[in-house]
Amino acid sequence: MLDLVLFLPLIGFLLALLVPAEKAKYFALIFSLVLFVISLGLIGPVLANPGEYSFVTDTPWISTPNIRYHIGLDGLSLWLVILTTFLTPLAILISWNYIGHRMKEYYAFLILLEFGVIGVFVSLDLFLYYVFWEVGLVPMYFLIGIWGHDRRIYAAVKFFLYTMVGSVLMLVAIIYLYLKSGTFDYTVILQQMASGQLKLTPEEALPLFLAFFVAFAIKVPLFPLHTWLPDAHVEAPTAGSVMLASVMLKMGTYGLVRYCLPLFPNAARECAPWIVGLAIIGIVYGALVALVQPNMKKLVAYSSVSHLGFVVLGVFSFNQLALDGAVYQMLNHGVSTGALFMLVGMMYERRHSLEIKDYGGVATQVPHLATVFLITTLASVGLPLLNNFVGELLVLQGAAMVNISWAVFAAIGVILSACYMLWLYQRVFLGRTSHDTAHHFEGQDLKTREWVAILPLLALMVWMGVAPMGFLTPISVADNKTLQQSKLNVELKVTAPAPPALPVSAGTTVQVAQTAAGVNNAR
Amino acid sequence: MPANLWPSSTDLLRFGPEILLTLVGTLMMVLEPLLDNKRVFRTLSLVTLLGAIGVTMAAHGVPGLSYANMIIVDGFATFFRLLVLGVAILTVLLSGDYLEKEGHETGEFYALLLFSVVGQGIMACANELIMVFVGIEISSIASYILTGYLRDDKRNNEAAMKYFLLGSFATAFLLYGVAWIYGLTGSTNLNDIRTVLSSPNFTNSASLVGMSAALMFVGFAFKVSAAPFQSWAPDVYQGAPSPVSAFMSAGPKAAAFAVFIRVFLTAYGPISDTWVPLVAIAALATMTIGNFAALRQTNVKRLLAYSSIAHAGYVLVAIAAHSTVGTQAVMFYLASYVFMNVGAFAVVTFFARKGEQYVNIDDLSGLAVRQPAMAAMLTIFMLSLIGVPLTAGFFGKFYIFKAALDSNLVWLTILGLLNSAVAAYYYLRILVVMYMREPGVATNNMDEAPFALRLTVWASALATLVLGVMPGLLLDVAGRWVLALGR
């Protein structure tokens, strides 16, 4: 069934190219809704056993070198796949009237994007993973480049090249791992590491880790590799921004959790202080830059840099709570930032401007839109009972257990996020309305189509904030396993005769491992 | 040995493809003044090339050495013979309508094309330095003339002249290298040279042997347009008729790589420590020069020329790996390169129209609106040249860099892959103008593409995608027919 969910979008892409242009959006909407409904069927079996892979298909694809079509779904990837299938119909709805030219290609590319992204989340073969990683790049490149705003071409090319540079380094690392282990199969590589059959010396592990890490860090994006993101977001059409922020950035954070931690436990722990440092800089820096943005979309884009800093902080705390929070925060960010981009897009369709100074006091004209925007804003700043609160709290709590100063600095980001978001709300919706602005918004409150697109997201914000355990439990089980795998390899290294050159780092890793173990027991 | 004066039937069969092509080529020259309908020659050359494929396969059934060990029929030779024949078929399909449009369709063109393929076939199966030289000369001289084929066109003339002068110079270096190695080892046979070089009694200076290898490298590097002997390629590819550029960037280049590999792996195999670093450095220089120069091009043909230089650099990486896997990667790469590059040139041929008026990148503006199918095909070729997964180009690069890592060329792998990220920029520019700009003068009044051209483009695109999903189809063949090290 996972095969079906994975390959239906590819078929949908080809079919979308065949239907007449004016029917393309209807086709795309129905198709993506059907896919969403089918994908809901994935939830049950994974929840029954979230620590192991469900829906596994494992057949040879290419014989030399041995590349397998190996896919599976566990608690870590489940919600990300569902998020993707859930957001695609909403993204199509939001584009309904906005996209006026070359509609056929537009909807086809949105569906192709779904194919690439789902593939990334379900691949269990490193090579297959790389293939999907790159495939997702192409439709997004076209979405930004053809249907974007004025500087779209610059943004599209920058987006493509940044990701490409990172990913070729990852390809080198993948091939190197293959030459060492004789397989691309991720599960087999982990088994070999667990059994001690595959040993990476620290001199090997560090460059390999960095090769993977840089590819993911660009995608996340982690400060200082984030500069492509504001450009891409601002120039992309609304649906492009939504998909980019909500699911494509998660390809990076997902990669960190899925691959970096278990494959290179020692290197990851050695680099963790530096990475956490960058994450905290990203949190504060992103928030400060968002504070001074005159452009709404850019503001939301920089808030993404800040929010994803939390995710990276959580991942590299090597702590169950923080990791759970980080993975949960991936979903939260997908929901609330996706909603923010949609709302900004709706504002743009009315006022044809993204500059904050062109707005002001529109709440009187469009009260429903203003209310929805306020709820989304509050979710984004982490108000309790809404989704982001849960994730941020877990990350901060987990990080504090490892190092209290990390949590302190990161908390500054939470405060700042309230500043920039509420200030944005104030400048856009409150205050006096200029005649010009009022004219654009008069009688232009949310239409039925827009309600349909935004309501599911609002519902999720509340649901994920009030009853997080339903989502968190499978994540937690999968995280626990990831941490175990990661820890197992560290312990192997420690029991092995330690090379005299690295006494300090070995000591730290033991300490970190013990902390993590302590937290596990505490839970 | 009078008994051997008349070759045996096996010998004839082993050299059959070249004999067939020469005979038909000559026949065409005779028929040319007699026939008014020049379209006959298209069909005739297509039939002949298909026939030559059949003969090649038949010859593959009786592998071995022939003509006093001058030629060898093995899997490696068969692979490259089929490759150059395939390129020639695609070129014929492309050329017909082009020449008709330019008012220059003659039998000579096809005859020259066949002769060029004869030369490349000889290069593929040469087991002897004299044969190598003869093959290169036959192939090159025909290519020189094809480059200047539209004799009233200034660009054609300039390109042919440059190509001819520089080409002759480079072949002279090659010949000089042949003379040196003959003086040092007393043989021009590749296997004999190998035996002499690896024998412990061989006392001649290693630096002299290295020098002969270096001289021959100059000749080969010129033919494959590797740095620092690449400067002819952009001018020639830009100036030549588009179908001829397509042909030259694929066929002669593949054959030159074949002969390069055979000579260096067989004859110079024993001294590989000397030449491997040289090839590695040339590979890096070629990739870098090709990619960075391509960034600034405005002419599509010139851009593809620099891209073809860069791709020669990738292939050299695999040769520097000096392993069976590396050679296999070269074979896969060159074959997949044929499809993507000939395909790209085919779209350019279609687009340039009479007199090749529209060959600037900006002329492609909005092609996706006017000719969505053609634009989509060109997109596939560009993505394949970038090396995006699910295209043949991706697996080509993947196998090459895997082979390089296998041989511990980590630095070359990393720099090579970063190079391919640079390359993405200029290929993307073509996609940008096609998809993200409004249609301009050049795109607004376009005719439907002729059938043969569409066939070429669709077939190339299909092959590019099929090899991108199932590379095993070709890689297994390459694996079976690969030139083993140390033979």
Side-chain angles (χ1 to χ4, degrees):
Chain A
M1 184 148 116
L2 189 57
D3 303 285
L4 189 68
V5 173
L6 177 58
F7 279 99
L8 266 183
L10 184 62
I11 298 165
F13 164 69
L14 297 173
L15 289 179
L17 288 176
L18 296 177
V19 299
E22 62 275 18
K23 296 274 186 298
K25 56 187 177 186
Y26 297 96
F27 168 79
L29 182 65
I30 293 166
F31 191 88
S32 57
L33 277 175
V34 169
L35 185 68
F36 172 60
V37 172
I38 296 176
S39 73
L40 290 178
L42 297 170
I43 298 178
V46 176
L47 285 188
N49 192 1
E52 299 300 321
Y53 295 110
S54 310
F55 302 107
V56 175
T57 309
D58 188 9
T59 51
W61 173 23
I62 294 162
S63 55
T64 42
N66 184 11
I67 296 167
R68 305 185 70 81
Y69 170 74
H70 186 180
I71 59 170
L73 199 63
D74 70 351
L76 183 60
S77 43
L78 169 69
W79 299 122
L80 290 166
V81 172
I82 303 288
L83 183 70
T84 311
T85 57
F86 168 70
L87 278 170
T88 306
L90 303 185
I92 290 168
L93 264 184
I94 210 75
S95 317
W96 209 253
N97 294 334
Y98 177 66
I99 299 300
H101 67 305
R102 293 159 78 184
M103 291 182 271
K104 193 156 72 169
E105 290 103 321
Y106 178 83
Y107 293 103
F109 279 131
L110 266 182
I111 296 178
L112 183 65
L113 181 67
E114 205 177 359
F115 172 64
V117 174
I118 293 177
V120 164
F121 292 139
V122 301
S123 298
L124 293 178
D125 181 286
L126 287 175
F127 190 91
L128 190 68
Y129 169 75
Y130 181 82
V131 167
F132 282 118
W133 173 273
E134 293 271 294
V135 165
L137 214 56
V138 178
M140 186 46 92
Y141 166 76
F142 282 112
L143 284 179
I144 298 175
I146 303 181
W147 294 277
H149 299 277
D150 296 342
R151 288 171 69 239
R152 59 182 187 274
I153 293 174
Y154 168 79
V157 172
K158 190 170 176 183
F159 161 76
F160 195 99
L161 291 183
Y162 255 74
T163 319
M164 181 95 187
V165 169
S167 58
V168 292
L169 292 175
M170 180 165 76
L171 181 62
V172 178
I174 289 177
I175 300 175
Y176 192 90
L177 274 177
Y178 169 76
L179 293 175
K180 286 284 282 190
S181 66
T183 177
F184 284 111
D185 195 314
Y186 181 59
T187 51
V188 176
I189 291 178
L190 283 185
Q191 277 165 17
Q192 288 187 1
M193 291 183 84
S195 65
Q197 197 184 340
L198 172 69
K199 281 205 181 77
L200 297 171
T201 64
E203 292 76 26
E204 283 174 325
L206 186 63
L208 288 177
F209 167 74
L210 287 178
F212 272 89
F213 176 75
V214 168
F216 297 144
I218 288 174
K219 201 83 179 181
V220 170
L222 186 67
F223 177 88
L225 301 168
H226 64 278
T227 60
W228 64 270
L229 180 86
D231 286 316
H233 269 317
V234 172
E235 300 306 324
T238 304
S241 296
V242 171
M243 295 308 281
L244 188 62
S246 301
V247 294
M248 284 198 88
L249 302 187
K250 308 307 175 302
M251 288 160 60
T253 47
Y254 170 80
L256 290 175
V257 180
R258 175 71 84 206
Y259 297 104
C260 276
L261 295 193
L263 277 177
F264 316 107
N266 301 311
R269 280 169 171 77
E270 279 158 30
C271 297
W274 299 95
I275 296 168
V276 167
L278 288 177
I280 292 174
I281 293 176
I283 293 172
V284 177
Y285 168 86
L288 286 176
V289 178
L291 204 53
V292 297
Q293 282 310 315
N295 179 308
M296 286 196 289
K297 231 176 168 184
K298 223 167 190 166
L299 188 148
V300 181
Y302 275 104
S303 83
S304 280
V305 175
S306 180
H307 281 150
L308 285 159
F310 277 98
V311 178
V312 177
L313 169 66
V315 172
F316 282 91
S317 296
F318 297 98
N319 169 296
Q320 173 89 46
L321 279 182
L323 188 57
D324 290 352
V327 177
Y328 198 53
Q329 196 60 8
M330 290 185 208
L331 305 174
N332 291 333
H333 177 262
V335 172
S336 52
T337 308
L340 274 179
F341 274 120
M342 281 188 187
L343 291 166
V344 169
M346 293 175 190
M347 312 275 284
Y348 179 81
E349 280 181 44
R350 289 167 168 78
R351 181 71 178 82
H352 296 287
S353 167
L354 291 170
E355 300 298 315
I356 296 172
K357 66 174 165 46
D358 289 337
Y359 293 86
V362 296
T364 47
Q365 255 79 24
V366 284
H368 292 148
L369 180 58
T371 312
V372 171
F373 200 101
L374 184 64
I375 296 172
T376 313
T377 298
L378 293 175
S380 181
V381 304
L383 192 79
L385 291 185
L386 292 172
N387 56 351
N388 276 31
F389 172 74
V390 182
E392 279 172 7
L393 179 76
L394 284 173
V395 170
L396 289 176
Q397 198 183 347
M401 286 177 173
V402 181
N403 189 334
I404 185 76
S405 62
W406 293 354
V408 171
F409 284 114
I412 297 175
V414 183
I415 299 167
L416 286 173
S417 81
C419 297
Y420 62 75
M421 284 311 298
L422 292 175
W423 194 30
L424 170 73
Y425 185 80
Q426 183 198 333
R427 283 179 293 169
V428 171
F429 288 97
L430 309 180
R432 243 205 244 131
T433 327
S434 72
H435 177 71
D436 194 29
T437 310
H439 164 72
H440 282 285
F441 280 90
E442 207 173 347
Q444 294 289 321
D445 211 345
L446 287 178
K447 298 181 191 60
T448 319
R449 173 180 60 82
E450 290 170 329
W451 272 117
V452 173
I454 200 77
L455 262 185
L457 288 171
L458 289 183
L460 259 186
M461 284 175 212
V462 177
W463 186 4
M464 292 175 75
V466 175
M469 285 325 282
F471 297 96
L472 262 174
T473 315
I475 293 176
S476 191
V477 175
D479 284 348
N480 189 299
K481 195 172 163 231
T482 306
L483 281 177
Q484 292 297 334
Q485 278 166 340
S486 185
K487 207 172 69 179
L488 189 68
N489 295 326
V490 173
E491 279 165 357
L492 273 177
K493 178 199 167 189
V494 175
T495 49
L502 289 159
V504 182
S505 57
T508 356
T509 46
V510 174
Q511 192 193 341
V512 173
Q514 281 168 348
T515 321
V519 172
N520 288 341
N521 296 341
R523 278 174 68 87
Chain B
M1 290 176 281
N4 284 355
L5 274 179
W6 183 250
S8 71
S9 58
T10 325
D11 283 349
L12 284 175
L13 182 56
R14 284 179 187 152
F15 205 50
E18 283 73 32
I19 296 175
L20 173 68
L21 292 170
T22 314
L23 287 178
V24 178
T26 320
L27 179 69
M28 281 180 172
M29 305 286 252
V30 176
L31 286 179
E32 159 65 26
L34 303 176
L35 285 176
D36 283 336
N37 183 0
K38 307 297 183 193
R39 284 181 172 229
V40 175
F41 294 109
R42 286 185 213 179
T43 326
L44 182 57
S45 45
L46 276 181
V47 171
T48 314
L49 288 165
L50 287 172
I53 287 181
V55 180
T56 305
M57 290 315 294
H60 184 64
V62 283
L65 294 156
S66 262
Y67 295 100
N69 301 342
M70 299 241 282
I71 68 157
I72 180 168
V73 175
D74 54 5
F76 191 71
T78 307
F79 186 90
F80 279 97
R81 271 176 168 174
L82 292 176
L83 196 61
V84 294
L85 288 168
V87 175
I89 289 176
L90 293 176
T91 311
V92 171
L93 286 175
L94 265 185
S95 306
D97 298 299
Y98 177 88
L99 294 172
E100 197 172 72
K101 198 172 56 195
E102 302 289 340
H104 266 288
E105 188 165 26
T106 57
E108 284 159 22
F109 182 90
Y110 298 103
L112 284 167
L113 195 67
L114 295 191
F115 290 145
S116 183
V117 177
V118 169
Q120 290 149 31
I122 295 177
M123 285 155 83
C125 65
N127 193 40
E128 147 89 43
L129 290 172
I130 300 299
M131 286 303 275
V132 168
F133 178 72
V134 169
I136 288 186
E137 281 297 87
I138 296 178
S139 157
S140 303
I141 290 175
S143 316
Y144 301 148
I145 307 174
L146 284 175
T147 305
Y149 181 72
L150 301 175
R151 59 176 173 273
D152 300 329
D153 188 307
K154 273 188 201 161
R155 291 169 298 182
N156 273 226
N157 277 312
E158 184 195 330
M161 198 62 188
K162 266 188 188 153
Y163 192 21
F164 171 65
L165 286 177
L166 293 172
S168 331
F169 208 57
T171 352
F173 272 98
L174 177 79
L175 201 55
Y176 197 35
V178 174
W180 275 48
I181 196 70
Y182 179 67
L184 289 165
T185 61
S187 174
T188 50
N189 184 289
L190 300 183
N191 302 94
D192 293 349
I193 295 172
R194 183 187 180 86
T195 319
V196 174
L197 287 183
S198 49
S199 121
N201 303 328
F202 183 70
T203 49
N204 274 317
S205 149
S207 61
L208 290 180
V209 179
M211 194 61 204
S212 76
L215 285 167
M216 292 182 67
F217 177 74
V218 173
F220 293 137
F222 178 87
K223 290 295 163 200
V224 302
S225 68
F229 310 103
Q230 87 293 357
S231 57
W232 62 276
D235 290 341
V236 173
Y237 286 18
Q238 184 187 1
S242 293
V244 176
S245 307
F247 175 70
M248 285 194 304
S249 68
K253 199 170 206 168
F257 270 117
V259 69
F260 185 177
I261 290 175
R262 200 188 280 279
V263 169
F264 275 70
L265 254 52
T266 309
Y268 290 111
I271 59 154
S272 62
D273 292 346
T274 331
W275 57 262
V276 162
L278 182 78
V279 175
I281 290 166
L284 181 61
T286 311
M287 289 187 287
T288 316
I289 291 175
N291 281 327
F292 280 88
L295 292 178
R296 301 176 51 86
Q297 300 309 317
T298 52
N299 180 304
V300 181
K301 284 169 81 181
R302 217 174 158 79
L303 183 136
L304 286 174
Y306 278 110
S307 118
S308 123
I309 293 173
H311 285 271
Y314 302 135
V315 177
L316 285 176
V317 170
I319 298 181
H322 190 243
S323 61
T324 312
V325 193
T327 312
Q328 201 182 343
V330 172
M331 292 161 79
F332 183 90
Y333 197 89
L334 287 172
S336 49
Y337 183 72
V338 165
F339 295 116
M340 49 198 186
N341 214 45
V342 173
F345 269 113
V347 179
V348 173
T349 309
F350 160 63
F351 187 79
R353 278 160 282 175
K354 185 166 164 51
E356 304 209 357
Q357 311 167 45
Y358 302 112
V359 283
N360 281 330
I361 295 181
D362 289 336
D363 292 335
L364 288 164
S365 293
L367 186 66
V369 180
R370 298 280 174 253
Q371 294 272 344
M374 275 292 166
M377 298 297 133
L378 190 54
T379 306
I380 292 174
F381 301 134
M382 289 298 133
L383 292 177
S384 181
L385 287 166
I386 295 176
V388 172
L390 303 184
T391 60
F394 169 69
F395 279 102
K397 281 213 179 74
F398 170 72
Y399 290 132
I400 281 183
F401 289 110
K402 181 172 156 290
L405 268 188
D406 248 336
S407 304
N408 283 323
L409 293 166
V410 180
W411 61 275
L412 193 58
T413 309
I414 292 174
L415 290 174
L417 279 170
L418 286 178
N419 241 297
S420 70
V422 172
Y425 178 77
Y426 59 83
Y427 295 123
L428 287 181
R429 271 176 59 204
I430 294 186
L431 300 193
V432 164
V433 293
M434 283 198 306
Y435 281 90
M436 303 172 195
R437 295 256 171 82
E438 292 306 310
V441 190
T443 26
N444 266 338
N445 39 21
M446 300 189 71
D447 301 328
E448 194 58 18
F451 172 75
L453 192 139
R454 263 184 294 156
L455 183 68
T456 317
V457 173
W458 282 88
S460 306
L462 188 69
T464 306
L465 288 178
V466 167
L467 288 179
V469 179
M470 293 177 285
L473 295 178
L474 181 59
L475 194 76
D476 293 345
V477 175
R480 260 201 315 282
W481 288 356
V482 71
L483 183 68
L485 283 181
R487 223 206 0 231

